[in-house]
Amino acid sequence: MAPARAHHHRLRSALGLFLLAPLIGEFLLGNQPITALPSVFLLAPLYGGGALLVRETARRAGRGWPTMILLGAAYALIEEGPVDQMLWNPHYGGFDLGAAYAGARVPLLDTGVQLLQDVLTLHTVWSVCVPIALVEAFARDGDRTRPWLGLPGLSVTVLVFTAGSGFLALAQVESEDFVATPAQFAAAGVLIALLIAAAFLCRAPGGRDATGRPLEARDATGRTPPAPWVVGALSFAATSAYWGREYLPDGVPAAVPVLGWVLLVAAVLVPGVRWARGEGWTGAHRLGLAGGALLTYVWVGFEQARYLDVSRATGLIGNAVFAAGALVLLGAAARAGGRLRPGSRPPLV
């Protein structure tokens, strides 16, 4: 690919991720109706800027998915901590979160355990990792593990993310009339810093990407993964099971969904890590993971439509439009991934 064409392709990838993150994180989920679609440009600096910073920071450092997952968790705490303050506001958005998350609380951070689990899951998986994986599926000629932005572009992204986050934080304070305590802000800051530090301490020895930076190594002892479509089906089942906690009957002890979340995460991570480090792991498997989670948001979005402040018909029309867009995007990503040279194997991360 010619240098100018490759440069333009990387910029399009960055812009695509910038816009895709809020579309998945808010609109496909069903948090926003189709009538609010113009607000994607208000949400993109936070969602898209955050996802792009996670991806670019990891790729510039020669790191892969372990780093991006931990940075995604840090982003989750930034959004729902200092920016939205949902972690601490018992009446956030007009909902009685204090009653909904009345179970065990996290010491120092002073928030509900289950609320923290939800925040980490939704934003790490769907706001950050799924959009990154989908956009990277379109990358060619080694661009998947290369940074897409130079230092000027990265600097602009930092400024946009910071300004967007600050604007939304002030808007939330004004609309919610709530401000957390200094101790809560400080605890969140410490935890965010620890996650960022951990993200750059989880390097595994291995080869190097197209820029000469080190990548995680494949493990000859790793298990051969099942077919990509099986990985996608398992991803869909696991992420759908996570949302099953919304339908638990009243009276179930709060410890049940909390423990269930821990077991589900372990059930996903243990085989997933071994598969990803084995010789048989390919880009199709990675897309299967992202695609299964994406399809979960498709059905969840239809369930969430009943809570939107629009007519039921308008909500369902929006869900149908966003679901169709998700399916088209997933199909296009699968076709793009199939254009790898015969016999070639995409990098581990």
Side-chain angles (χ1 to χ4, degrees), residues 144-145 218 281-284 286 337 340-341 343-349:
R144 191 179 63 76
T145 54
R218 289 184 181 269
W281 189 258
T282 68
R286 188 170 46 252
L340 289 169
R341 293 186 303 274
S344 67
R345 186 181 68 193
L348 168 64
V349 294

Side-chain angles (χ1 to χ4, degrees), residues 169-218:
L170 292 175
Q172 285 295 103
V173 169
E174 182 176 350
S175 65
E176 298 284 339
D177 193 25
F178 174 88
V179 178
T181 67
Q184 289 171 323
F185 281 121
V190 170
L191 186 53
I192 290 166
L194 289 175
L195 284 169
I196 293 173
F200 293 98
L201 292 174
C202 62
R203 184 203 302 270
R208 294 178 178 270
D209 66 14
T211 67
R213 294 182 176 88
L215 294 175
E216 287 87 340
R218 289 184 181 269

Side-chain angles (χ1 to χ4, degrees), residues 120-136:
L120 291 174
T121 305
L122 265 64
H123 291 303
T124 304
V125 175
W126 283 283
S127 299
V128 174
C129 291
V130 168
I132 291 174
L134 288 171
V135 177
E136 283 194 345

Side-chain angles (χ1 to χ4, degrees), residues 121-338:
T121 305
L122 265 64
H123 291 303
T124 304
V125 175
W126 283 283
S127 299
V128 174
C129 291
V130 168
I132 291 174
L134 288 171
V135 177
E136 283 194 345
F138 291 92
R140 296 181 178 181
D141 299 332
D143 278 350
R144 191 179 63 76
T145 54
R146 285 194 183 107
W148 293 333
L149 300 174
L151 286 178
L154 185 62
S155 300
V156 169
T157 303
V158 171
L159 290 175
V160 168
F161 174 73
T162 303
S165 299
F167 171 80
L168 290 175
L170 292 175
Q172 285 295 103
V173 169
E174 182 176 350
S175 65
E176 298 284 339
D177 193 25
F178 174 88
V179 178
T181 67
Q184 289 171 323
F185 281 121
V190 170
L191 186 53
I192 290 166
L194 289 175
L195 284 169
I196 293 173
F200 293 98
L201 292 174
C202 62
R203 184 203 302 270
R208 294 178 178 270
D209 66 14
T211 67
R213 294 182 176 88
L215 294 175
E216 287 87 340
R218 289 184 181 269
D219 185 355
T221 65
R223 293 182 179 177
T224 301
W229 72 267
V230 175
V231 172
L234 292 173
S235 173
F236 176 76
T239 51
S240 294
Y242 159 75
W243 281 94
R245 65 198 291 175
E246 296 289 320
Y247 307 99
L248 291 174
D250 294 337
V252 173
V256 172
V258 169
L259 179 58
W261 182 89
V262 173
L263 295 176
L264 182 60
V265 170
V268 171
L269 287 181
V270 172
V273 168
R274 297 199 64 180
W275 289 340
R277 296 184 64 81
E279 291 291 333
W281 189 258
T282 68
H285 291 93
R286 188 170 46 252
L287 182 60
L289 278 176
L294 184 74
L295 294 179
T296 291
Y297 255 24
V298 168
W299 75 258
V300 169
F302 281 94
E303 287 289 302
Q304 295 286 99
R306 56 186 168 177
Y307 301 115
L308 294 174
D309 191 22
V310 294
S311 69
R312 180 66 169 166
T314 300
L316 291 175
I317 290 171
N319 292 144
V321 171
F322 296 130
L327 294 174
V328 169
L329 177 65
L330 184 57
R335 288 194 298 274

